[in-house]
Amino acid sequence: FTWTNWTAAIHDGRWDTYPSSLWDESRQQYVIFDRLQPGPPKQFRTEAYLHSKGSDFLGAWSNTTWTGLNSSATHQPDQVVVFEYEGLWLGFAQMMNMQSGVAASVDLELALATELQGTWRWLAPGKHLIPRGVAGTRDSCEIFGARQPFVRGDEIWIYYVGGDGPFHGYRTNQLMLAKVQRDGFAGY
């Protein structure tokens, strides 16, 4: 490989959460979904996106725009991994369950938008797409959704990372697989 020097897009997102980047075919722009730095007055995590000002990923970028996904003192999105499915935009949201300002566990919820750079909403607020396992199991404390589900025959395969300990503590993580019937998102 031959690598060249480049400058990263500078914005007010948090880089400790990996950004979800993809191409918006309708607008001919790249889009990055990222978590904004918590700010006053409530210090809540906020999901936002920014877009390239042209078709060059390494070119100029817009300011961040809030997605519309709400947050609370006890339930905050740490990351939303966005993908297209059957003409809709869906997002696997890693929702942090906060206790005394610290993440105690992480659940996976589903977000929805009809336009990639449109207003997003929770499909079933507070409902977990993949429930955490019982105490002591490999995914008893955290569920982190992978980048893209796969359609295999009559099933949707969702790879995820399960964690058996607290977000801010010792844990082991495992790659896991959940299977949903094809078009199961519609029933959800």
Side-chain angles (χ1 to χ4, degrees):
F1 292 100
T2 301
W3 298 94
T4 59
N5 292 328
W6 63 281
T7 302
I10 305 298
H11 66 95
D12 50 356
R14 288 288 302 257
W15 292 97
D16 64 335
T17 300
Y18 73 81
S20 176
S21 59
L22 53 154
W23 176 252
D24 186 343
E25 185 66 35
S26 66
R27 296 185 188 196
Q28 297 289 295
Q29 298 171 326
Y30 287 98
V31 181
I32 295 177
F33 285 79
D34 201 3
R35 174 169 65 92
L36 292 180
Q37 175 74 25
K42 297 182 180 181
Q43 304 296 321
F44 294 162
R45 287 171 171 82
T46 305
E47 286 299 316
Y49 63 84
L50 63 156
H51 61 82
S52 61
K53 292 188 176 180
S55 60
D56 182 6
F57 188 83
L58 301 179
W61 284 78
S62 69
N63 292 325
T64 51
T65 302
W66 183 50
T67 59
L69 297 173
N70 62 334
S71 187
S72 72
T74 58
H75 203 64
Q76 300 180 17
D78 184 57
Q79 169 188 36
V80 178
V81 181
V82 174
F83 58 95
E84 188 174 16
Y85 182 79
E86 299 293 338
L88 294 172
W89 292 98
L90 299 175
F92 290 148
Q94 278 66 252
M95 297 299 291
M96 301 183 86
N97 300 304
M98 310 296 286
Q99 293 178 355
S100 302
V102 176
S105 61
V106 179
D107 291 306
L108 188 68
E109 293 189 20
L110 200 58
L112 168 76
T114 55
E115 250 190 287
L116 181 60
Q117 297 183 54
T119 300
W120 285 75
R121 65 180 179 91
W122 300 118
L123 198 56
K127 183 176 179 184
H128 309 155
L129 180 63
I130 301 172
R132 280 184 278 128
V134 298
T137 59
R138 294 179 180 174
D139 57 358
S140 61
C141 201
E142 300 172 339
I143 305 283
F144 295 96
R147 174 70 181 92
Q148 177 80 35
F150 297 94
V151 175
R152 296 281 208 205
D154 290 337
E155 296 177 322
I156 301 170
W157 289 14
I158 302 170
Y159 285 93
Y160 69 97
V161 171
D164 61 2
F167 187 80
H168 292 290
Y170 178 80
R171 67 181 184 271
T172 60
N173 294 320
Q174 296 79 27
L175 180 61
M176 304 181 84
L177 172 64
K179 296 179 181 180
V180 181
Q181 71 182 33
R182 187 161 184 172
D183 297 325
F185 293 132
Y188 183 77

